[in-house]
Amino acid sequence: MATYKIDAAHSEITFKVKHLMITNVTGNFTKFDATLEAEKADFTDAKISFEADVNSISTNNEQRDGHLKSDDFFAADKFPALSFTSSSLTQVDGSDYKLTGDLTIKGVTKSVELAVEFGGTATDPWGQSKAGFEISGKIKRSEFGLTWNAATEAGGVMVSDEVKLQLNVQFIKQA
């Protein structure tokens, strides 16, 4: 069984949420960890676990980040991490895979399905074996208890329920 650890310096965990339903606000988590275990070269038997530090959330706006960490959203003091544990990684076609697993945010766990593009493997100049993946999907934040919103003058909402996830990750094979 080969074990891979995420290469944080070459990975990014981002999300997008519509603001006023007209533009996207992009954010990311700067502190995270992930492990992938697999025997097969195509990773179809992979078991993946991921955790992000909620307090590391960044949307390039300190006031907004503070609001996101508050009880209105992530309640970071009570739920300092969000996590994902895979149940399957299935090859759909070529480099396209489907990742299924349990996502836990704010103490609520839901099964989610994410699209994965396997970028391949490579050996870096220091002899480390690496594997790259691009992962994307959508979740409804309300399903995880992230229900805060505000009405606009026109009767719309300030923040969309749908959150787009985009993860670009590089894993390093452990010796």
Side-chain angles (χ1 to χ4, degrees):
M1 183 70 70
T3 300
Y4 293 77
K5 292 295 283 177
I6 197 164
D7 180 354
H10 298 106
S11 299
E12 56 183 20
I13 313 303
T14 60
F15 58 88
K16 288 183 187 210
V17 180
K18 278 212 181 291
H19 183 252
L20 296 174
M21 305 315 287
I22 56 170
T23 55
N24 279 310
V25 168
T26 302
N28 68 307
F29 292 96
T30 59
K31 291 182 185 165
F32 49 84
D33 192 26
T35 303
L36 181 154
E37 291 179 332
E39 270 186 49
K40 297 181 180 176
D42 67 359
F43 295 99
T44 50
D45 64 340
K47 295 208 179 330
I48 301 161
S49 59
F50 168 83
E51 189 171 282
D53 177 352
V54 172
N55 282 299
S56 76
I57 199 167
S58 173
T59 61
N60 291 319
N61 180 303
E62 212 173 307
Q63 191 175 353
R64 179 172 50 222
D65 294 347
H67 190 201
L68 287 169
K69 293 173 196 176
S70 78
D71 287 354
D72 280 348
F73 288 98
F74 286 100
D77 54 336
K78 294 184 206 92
F79 305 100
L82 61 85
S83 64
F84 174 83
T85 305
S86 70
S87 52
S88 69
L89 181 64
T90 312
Q91 191 170 16
V92 178
D93 184 37
S95 62
D96 294 329
Y97 289 68
K98 180 176 73 176
L99 176 62
T100 306
D102 289 335
L103 178 63
T104 302
I105 300 174
K106 205 175 177 180
V108 178
T109 303
K110 297 266 179 208
S111 181
V112 296
E113 198 174 279
L114 303 167
V116 176
E117 187 179 331
F118 175 40
T121 57
T123 302
D124 72 12
W126 299 273
Q128 294 180 310
S129 284
K130 297 196 171 184
F133 301 88
E134 192 170 313
I135 304 162
S136 60
K138 295 174 184 175
I139 61 167
K140 289 197 181 305
R141 63 186 179 88
S142 61
E143 292 181 351
F144 295 92
L146 303 165
T147 55
W148 182 88
N149 222 326
T152 62
E153 275 183 20
V157 292
M158 194 106 123
V159 186
S160 69
D161 190 26
E162 184 180 272
V163 179
K164 292 178 183 174
L165 306 176
Q166 186 71 42
L167 295 80
N168 288 291
V169 293
Q170 209 174 93
F171 283 95
I172 306 169
K173 189 174 186 177
Q174 302 301 290

